[in-house]
Amino acid sequence: ASSPDWSRLRADFPVLSREVHGKPLVYLDSANTSQKPQQVIAAMDDFYREHNANVSRAVHALGSEATEAYEGARRRLAAFVNVPADELILTSGTTFGINLVAYSWALPRLKTGDVILLTRMEHHANIVPWQLVCERTGASLRVVELAPDGSLDMDDLRAKLTGEVKLLAFTHVSNVLGTVNPVAEICRLARKQGVVTLVDGSQALPHRAVDIPLLGCDFYAFTGHKMLGPTGTGGLWARRQHLREMPPFLGGGEMIREVRFEGTTFNDPPHKFEAGTPNIAGVVGLGAAADYLSAIGMAEVEARERALLAVATQRLSAIEGLRILGTAPGKAAVISFLVDGAHAHDLATLLDLEGIAVRSGHHCAHPLMAHFGVPATCRASLAFYNTEAEVEKLALGIEKVRKLLL
Ligand code: PMP
């Protein structure tokens, strides 16, 4: 097959043709949230214009069209990660998915003396829910540290996977360092010790082919808005055994079979975990996003982003006083950097005046910032729709801003 026409694909993203402060937008904040192609926007628009109704309730035509659109999107999303559709809970995003596991799986099981193992590179969404569980159960947190290049210290992981560990929760791809963790290997080590695994797939799905069964984890959470889908969408895959054993997280409509004041029987998974009217149009948009990525092919996306990352790494490394945090081999196209003598926020603010959108701050990863001894970094995160010319603009922008700030 011939390689994709990247400039034609870029033209699918309406916002990428706008200007900011009189300059063409250079959007380098896709790890924060990705831009959306017209196909995703059109799918949601079409849903509201032509099919809008609630799901799983009404027998009228629109009711069944809406249900089919919603369940069809679930099937396409499930196929995208190679799992059965009835094992995929639709959520509002990764944060919701992790909290669901915290409240429905961990809270009833963990007790004093139990340990939840995390890593130094986790997003707050994969830290705070576990702290809340620890407060209520008496369990405690333990943290796997990093090697200097920002990869996980696998010896430290092995040493800390002891008998008290009940859950290992870790990210597939770091949103700050770009590190891609060896998920299958990590899950194999955990399984040998009988430890349940949760993987935060937020930054993996947009950039790598993810075949969940090959990873061997117990739970896999992801968010739709980083993979070209709308905000307020996402998924949580869980092993069937867990889905059967876990009590519901939230109660309400859709998740029940029969409600009587004496007691309620619940719907089958995944519906048991989807109380209330869901984000139907959003899920339809997310289904369209999965289709869009599938049509390009995730291997093509990965190759494209690797090429852009190589150019960006080489070009930025050549800038005097610039330091990149996270250099693990095979990393995803995220570049966190610091420039000697320049505050990350000042850098990002001045880059914005050049039309260049990068994120500055702690990236919801305070413990990781502490590890590097910095309060904040600047982060340029790439997607397949970025170009080499944009990478060059970033480099020129940093050089210009550096002169202003020094
Ligand atoms: N985990 C990681 C690694 C992330 O990058 C993010 C989003 N920045 C999240 C979790 C949280 O995702 P959401 O806010 O969509 O729930």
Side-chain angles (χ1 to χ4, degrees), residues 32 90-103 123-130 132 198-203 220-226 232-236 249-250 364:
N32 207 350
L90 297 172
T91 67
S92 62
T94 298
T95 302
F96 191 101
I98 294 175
N99 276 278
L100 194 159
V101 178
Y103 284 88
H123 186 281
H124 295 162
N126 200 25
I127 300 174
V128 182
W130 307 121
L132 296 175
L198 176 139
V199 180
D200 173 353
S202 306
Q203 299 288 348
Y220 195 97
F222 60 92
T223 214
H225 68 95
K226 296 181 201 280
T233 64
L236 172 72
F249 177 29
L250 301 176
C364 301

Side-chain angles (χ1 to χ4, degrees), residues 56 66-76 85 90 270-271 274 283:
S56 314
T67 304
E68 179 44 35
Y70 182 73
E71 293 302 329
R74 186 200 307 274
R75 286 193 296 273
R76 297 208 297 288
L90 297 172
H271 308 287
E274 294 177 5
V283 166

Side-chain angles (χ1 to χ4, degrees), residues 168-190:
L168 168 60
F170 65 102
T171 195
H172 193 157
V173 175
S174 162
N175 62 314
V176 179
L177 307 170
T179 307
V180 179
N181 284 314
V183 176
E185 188 187 344
I186 294 170
C187 290
R188 193 159 36 74
L189 292 170

Side-chain angles (χ1 to χ4, degrees), residues 108-130:
R109 274 173 187 71
L110 300 195
K111 51 186 191 321
T112 307
D114 288 342
V115 169
I116 299 173
L117 189 56
L118 306 176
T119 86
R120 172 65 65 176
M121 70 177 91
E122 297 314 310
H123 186 281
H124 295 162
N126 200 25
I127 300 174
V128 182
W130 307 121

Side-chain angles (χ1 to χ4, degrees), residues 81-83 88 205 210-217 219-220 222 237:
V81 289
N82 196 27
V83 300
L88 185 66
L205 249 59
V210 174
D211 185 320
I212 292 176
L214 284 183
L215 300 175
C217 56
F219 298 101
Y220 195 97
F222 60 92
W237 173 81

Side-chain angles (χ1 to χ4, degrees), residues 196-371:
V196 167
T197 45
L198 176 139
V199 180
D200 173 353
S202 306
Q203 299 288 348
L205 249 59
H207 307 293
R208 294 289 187 273
V210 174
D211 185 320
I212 292 176
L214 284 183
L215 300 175
C217 56
D218 288 275
F219 298 101
Y220 195 97
F222 60 92
T223 214
H225 68 95
K226 296 181 201 280
M227 53 174 285
L228 317 184
T231 51
T233 64
L236 172 72
W237 173 81
R239 273 186 200 285
R240 209 173 276 274
Q241 173 208 341
H242 298 312
L243 290 175
R244 270 199 301 262
E245 292 171 4
M246 281 156 56
F249 177 29
L250 301 176
E254 315 269 11
M255 52 80 70
I256 50 85
R257 182 160 293 135
E258 190 187 5
V259 176
R260 285 182 293 131
F261 284 116
E262 296 72 39
T264 290
T265 50
F266 301 120
N267 204 337
D268 291 327
H271 308 287
K272 176 172 124 184
F273 299 102
E274 294 177 5
T277 299
N279 181 1
I280 307 166
V283 166
V284 168
L286 180 54
D291 287 349
Y292 187 90
L293 287 170
S294 301
I296 303 174
M298 291 312 293
E300 296 282 1
V301 167
E302 177 179 344
R304 161 82 173 170
E305 293 175 358
R306 274 183 194 269
L308 287 171
L309 175 68
V311 172
T313 304
Q314 195 179 30
R315 183 66 178 84
L316 295 195
S317 302
I319 297 175
E320 209 186 314
L322 187 146
R323 178 161 70 102
I324 294 175
L325 304 182
T327 52
K331 67 177 268 191
V334 177
I335 304 183
S336 271
F337 61 93
L338 297 164
V339 175
D340 283 347
H343 283 293
H345 285 301
D346 295 344
L347 211 54
T349 305
L350 291 170
L351 285 172
D352 180 56
L353 295 177
E354 302 294 316
I356 301 168
V358 297
R359 183 173 173 191
S360 62
H362 53 67
H363 316 293
C364 301
H366 280 153
L368 183 59
M369 295 292 114
H371 171 75

